[in-house]
Amino acid sequence: DAGITQSPRHKVTETGTPVTLRCHQTENHRYMYWYRQDPGHGLRLIHYSYGVKDTDKGEVSDGYSVSRSKTEDFLLTLESATSSQTSVYFCAISQGGEAFFGQGTRLTVV
Amino acid sequence: AQSVTQLGSHVSVSEGALVLLRCNYSSSVPPYLFWYVQYPNQGLQLLLKYTSAATLVKGINGFEAEFKKSETSFHLTKPSAHMSDAAEYFCAVSPNSGNTGKLIFGQGTTLQVKP
């Protein structure tokens, strides 16, 4: 699993509340990514980071923000959760020309 | 814009039969291509990757894929399906060799293996 830990693994939250998901890696990888997985859409890139405080938007970044204050942690924040953000969220790192994924966080917005 | 299309959201085969999962991509530059597998309630695991070397790529668990530039395809095959192959499979493309975690995924194909 390339030393990737996502937390929490499951979360139920109410519409309009802020939510932060954490991705922690132990192997000093430079690049980190957040994806969401939805049926019929595969995985879609939300944001990614190429170093501390260096981030960029992906395909579906609206409604999400990220922060990376330390190499090992990449945080994904939903400022005001909506039902359309109910999804499974995956963190990934890239190493040796390929991506490695965490176990995922299942987020339900009710 | 680059895209990946997987033909067939569900494929069903009998145990021992050939597995063929189709993937077509659009890319204006030579891409890196990947196949990932996802078992229920787990993350994605890399099956194999194409990085502009040999066009026939062998991966784990007996899977292989052939890069055909003229057809813009990267179909995944396995000669004989096992029950344990039942999972969801994703084809993905990375147009940037320096940022191979920035991927464009297909919609996924669920493989069912019947006894």
Side-chain angles (χ1 to χ4, degrees), chain A:
Chain A
D1 63 359
I4 303 169
T5 304
Q6 292 186 230
S7 59
R9 293 292 313 279
H10 301 271
K11 186 171 182 66
V12 179
T13 192
E14 293 185 350
T15 299
T17 61
V19 177
T20 295
L21 309 183
R22 181 185 184 227
C23 179
H24 179 77
Q25 54 120 340
T26 59
E27 299 182 7
N28 207 35
H29 298 293
R30 178 184 174 193
Y31 286 89
M32 298 183 74
Y33 310 82
W34 277 108
Y35 286 87
R36 61 177 288 173
Q37 182 180 15
D38 304 289
H41 291 278
L43 279 78
R44 293 176 291 176
L45 182 64
I46 305 171
H47 283 279
Y48 66 99
S49 170
Y50 45 95
V52 173
K53 298 189 176 165
D54 290 324
T55 65
D56 205 350
K57 295 179 179 180
E59 178 188 357
V60 291
S61 59
D62 286 350
Y64 301 94
S65 63
V66 290
S67 65
R68 192 166 179 202
S69 58
K70 299 184 290 184
T71 298
E72 58 266 36
D73 288 327
F74 190 33
L75 304 180
L76 177 70
T77 297
L78 292 65
E79 300 290 348
S80 177
T82 68
S83 59
S84 64
Q85 294 176 312
T86 292
S87 187
V88 181
Y89 291 85
F90 286 97
C91 176
I93 60 92
S94 63
Q95 175 190 12
E98 64 186 76
F100 293 86
F101 289 82
Q103 293 298 298
T105 295
R106 184 173 297 275
L107 177 67
T108 303
V109 183
V110 298

Side-chain angles (χ1 to χ4, degrees), chain B:
Chain B
Q2 289 154 346
S3 64
V4 176
T5 302
Q6 292 183 235
L7 297 176
S9 58
H10 289 84
V11 170
S12 181
V13 301
S14 297
E15 191 173 20
L18 171 71
V19 175
L20 171 60
L21 304 183
R22 300 178 187 273
C23 173
N24 289 89
Y25 69 93
S26 66
S27 176
S28 58
V29 298
Y32 282 21
L33 292 159
F34 305 85
W35 274 100
Y36 285 88
V37 61
Q38 184 182 34
Y39 299 102
N41 299 314
Q42 295 190 23
L44 278 71
Q45 178 183 5
L46 183 70
L47 276 177
L48 49 81
K49 63 181 179 181
Y50 167 77
T51 57
S52 73
T55 57
L56 182 62
V57 180
K58 294 187 183 299
I60 63 171
N61 301 339
F63 285 93
E64 63 182 37
E66 185 172 8
F67 173 68
K68 292 186 176 180
K69 184 177 180 180
S70 61
E71 299 177 6
T72 61
S73 69
F74 191 56
H75 302 330
L76 182 71
T77 61
K78 181 174 181 178
S80 177
H82 294 172
M83 296 297 291
S84 60
D85 294 327
E88 189 162 21
Y89 293 80
F90 293 95
C91 181
V93 61
S94 174
N96 186 336
S97 63
N99 189 357
T100 51
K102 189 178 178 184
L103 296 164
I104 300 166
F105 282 87
Q107 304 92 323
T109 298
T110 299
L111 176 66
Q112 179 188 24
V113 182
K114 298 177 292 185

